[in-house]
Amino acid sequence: MGLDPRQFVDTVDEKYVCKLCHKVFLDPVANGCGHIFCSSCVKKRLRGDMAKRCPVCSAPLTQKMSPPSMDFRLELLNLKIRCHNKCGKTFPLSSLPDHMSDECPNTAMTCPNISKGCKKKIRRCDIKKHAEECDFREIQCEACGFVTVYCNLFTHQSRVRCLEKKLKQQVIREQRNHANDVKRHRSHLTKLNVRRDVEDRKIVLEHTRYLKNGKNKTHGSLEDLTTDNKTSDVFLTELVNNEPNGDDGSSPPPHPSRTGHAVFSCMRCKKLYNAMTNNEKSCRWHAGPVSIFRHTLLIIP
């Protein structure tokens, strides 16, 4: 069978039309009488019950056919033809096989998963999308990692109860993510509170220096200044020593800061004091904690 003349851009001359199928030659061969036909048409006529004669001159058709002249074949291959898959391209007849096998986006192709069981024919332009949605594509079970085809995934999961494992893993991931969010939030709040504590201490120290400088300006003599400093130091010392004790006679645990960490130091060893971790094995001087704020006031010259 030849090619439909309507596929060609220009009107096809009658010399390029087969007299058996009335279509443009495809793989032409010449009979002994000189007339040219499609090779497939001649073979079909010889196998069938129809008259095995040339329809033009009634010469007998033989199986010994010869190819037509080179000029005739070149003229035939230079005819302009449109793609019958309606892709919109035109090209010489000689480029038809290459266009259909490599370029035409509408050419029907077999699925890449044909070895796994897919028997669909898909256009070349849709082959990528089909490969992502094909029922015979390879997929990995999210629960156990088993690799199977997509159409068998549900059977695998129901057989080995992978769905339950998958749900458990999802719950574990949710819990871990929630715990990490809580840690990040706590860390953020701690940093904010530490920064606020530092700012508060700076404000108190600046205010204390301001008060001391005011006293220095008010009292003109050095003796009055020394007396006032001694009086303020004695007052602060008595205020620290006269703090109400606990039931066992020891100093009550100080109030924690906003950070949740200790903001008190030992009067003797100057280490940070934490009432929650104080015990008989700790420093023996930790029995008398003093606030960093108060300790700072005591050591200000």
Side-chain angles (χ1 to χ4, degrees):
M1 296 294 290
L3 301 172
D4 191 349
R6 292 174 294 182
Q7 292 181 231
F8 290 84
V9 177
D10 302 325
T11 303
V12 181
D13 195 346
E14 287 294 329
K15 67 178 181 179
Y16 302 118
V17 177
C18 176
K19 303 302 181 181
L20 295 177
C21 64
H22 304 287
K23 294 184 178 181
V24 179
F25 291 124
L26 186 63
D27 190 14
V29 291
N31 191 27
C33 61
H35 294 107
I36 302 174
F37 308 99
C38 298
S39 60
S40 58
C41 296
V42 173
K43 292 178 182 179
K44 184 179 180 181
R45 179 65 65 94
L46 292 175
R47 287 195 305 264
D49 298 332
M50 301 176 65
K52 298 178 177 56
R53 291 184 174 274
C54 175
V56 179
C57 62
S58 299
L61 296 175
T62 61
Q63 294 183 353
K64 294 182 180 180
M65 298 284 184
S66 60
S69 63
M70 181 62 68
D71 294 339
F72 180 85
R73 283 183 289 174
L74 291 176
E75 292 175 1
L76 178 64
L77 294 176
N78 286 329
L79 295 177
K80 296 290 184 180
I81 188 173
R82 302 186 189 91
C83 178
H84 65 274
N85 287 333
K86 298 180 180 180
C87 70
K89 292 186 177 182
T90 59
F91 40 84
L93 182 59
S94 58
S95 302
L96 179 62
D98 295 337
H99 173 77
M100 298 303 297
S101 60
D102 300 330
E103 300 177 6
C104 183
N106 296 332
T107 301
M109 300 182 63
T110 57
C111 177
N113 300 320
I114 186 173
S115 60
K116 300 180 179 65
C118 183
K119 299 180 180 179
K120 292 183 178 180
K121 294 283 187 178
I122 310 98
R123 296 188 306 173
R124 178 181 278 109
C125 58
D126 298 332
I127 195 71
K128 185 176 180 180
K129 181 179 179 181
H130 173 76
E132 297 175 355
E133 301 175 354
C134 181
D135 292 338
F136 292 89
R137 68 184 185 274
E138 285 189 356
I139 192 169
Q140 187 176 13
C141 179
E142 297 179 0
C144 65
F146 180 75
V147 178
T148 182
V149 294
Y150 179 78
C151 57
N152 296 334
L153 179 63
F154 180 76
T155 304
H156 162 73
Q157 291 180 341
S158 60
R159 183 180 301 170
V160 297
R161 307 181 71 176
C162 284
L163 291 178
E164 296 180 5
K165 298 178 182 178
K166 179 181 177 181
L167 292 176
K168 289 180 180 179
Q169 291 182 358
Q170 289 179 352
V171 171
I172 293 173
R173 284 196 296 268
E174 291 288 340
Q175 291 177 349
R176 289 178 179 174
N177 293 335
H178 179 69
N180 292 333
D181 291 340
V182 171
K183 288 181 180 179
R184 284 193 293 268
H185 182 65
R186 286 179 177 174
S187 176
H188 178 66
L189 291 179
T190 301
K191 291 178 181 179
L192 291 178
N193 291 331
V194 168
R195 191 179 299 122
R196 192 177 302 173
D197 282 344
V198 172
E199 292 176 357
D200 291 345
R201 293 172 195 168
K202 289 181 180 179
I203 293 173
V204 172
L205 290 174
E206 290 177 359
H207 182 66
T208 304
R209 292 192 184 98
Y210 174 76
L211 293 178
K212 284 184 174 291
N213 292 332
K215 288 181 180 180
N216 292 336
K217 293 179 181 179
T218 303
H219 302 285
S221 63
L222 181 60
E223 295 178 358
D224 294 338
L225 177 60
T226 305
T227 304
D228 291 337
N229 288 338
K230 289 182 178 179
T231 304
S232 61
D233 292 343
V234 171
F235 173 73
L236 290 173
T237 305
E238 291 178 354
L239 182 62
V240 173
N241 294 332
N242 293 332
E243 275 190 324
N245 296 332
D247 296 338
D248 56 351
S250 61
S251 299
H255 297 289
S257 69
R258 287 188 296 270
T259 62
H261 302 286
V263 293
F264 301 92
S265 63
C266 179
M267 296 176 62
R268 297 301 184 98
C269 68
K270 303 300 185 296
K271 293 182 180 179
L272 290 179
Y273 172 84
N274 190 349
M276 301 299 294
T277 59
N278 189 27
N279 51 62
E280 64 276 3
K281 294 182 180 180
S282 62
C283 175
R284 58 193 181 94
W285 300 115
H286 283 355
V290 63
S291 171
I292 288 179
F293 164 60
R294 295 175 183 172
H295 186 67
T296 304
L297 293 181
L298 289 174
I299 64 175
I300 292 177

